[in-house]
Amino acid sequence: MPDVGLFTATEPVSSDTPVIIKFSVEVGGLPVYQESYDVDTLREEDKADPDKSAALWLRRLRCVLESRDRPGFSAALTSCLATGMCGDHGQSPGQKVIDPLGIPTEDS
């Protein structure tokens, strides 16, 4: 939390203070993948398409779960987060479809 006083500790966060969500995956205590999200941007995206927003957050969980036992964990995870499909070493053979959304920045 930013510095607050005893009388102001429960007030809303000022609109000029960034609020960030960090998504991090570690292996053996070492970070292998990290993302940061601005809450104001997420709010707008969620307002525009709440189902897609929820599905992409769930993708973050499912991709880690599916990549866990694949060769090339980090590559498999990164590819899965980008495309919604998980394969060994991040490549296409034997990929499992995590969700049907595809690449979020492409119009589908």
Side-chain angles (χ1 to χ4, degrees):
M1 283 291 295
D3 293 335
V4 295
L6 291 174
F7 301 153
T8 60
T10 60
E11 291 180 1
V13 176
S14 169
S15 63
D16 62 344
T17 302
V19 177
I20 306 297
I21 295 174
K22 294 188 177 197
F23 173 76
S24 179
V25 178
E26 297 181 359
V27 175
L30 299 173
V32 296
Y33 190 86
Q34 295 182 342
E35 297 174 335
S36 297
Y37 298 96
D38 176 76
V39 168
D40 294 330
T41 302
L42 291 177
R43 180 184 305 171
E44 293 304 313
E45 292 173 343
D46 189 61
K47 191 185 307 179
D49 192 341
D51 292 335
K52 184 175 182 180
S53 176
L56 289 172
W57 275 109
L58 184 56
R59 176 187 286 187
R60 270 130 190 83
L61 172 64
R62 289 185 173 155
C63 284
V64 175
L65 299 176
E66 182 61 29
S67 299
R68 172 68 170 93
D69 296 321
R70 288 189 179 272
F73 170 79
S74 183
L77 174 61
T78 301
S79 177
C80 184
L81 290 171
T83 66
M85 296 185 292
C86 191
D88 295 350
H89 308 290
Q91 297 178 8
S92 57
Q95 284 189 323
K96 177 177 181 181
V97 176
I98 302 299
D99 61 54
L101 295 175
I103 299 170
T105 54
E106 291 182 344
D107 291 328
S108 25

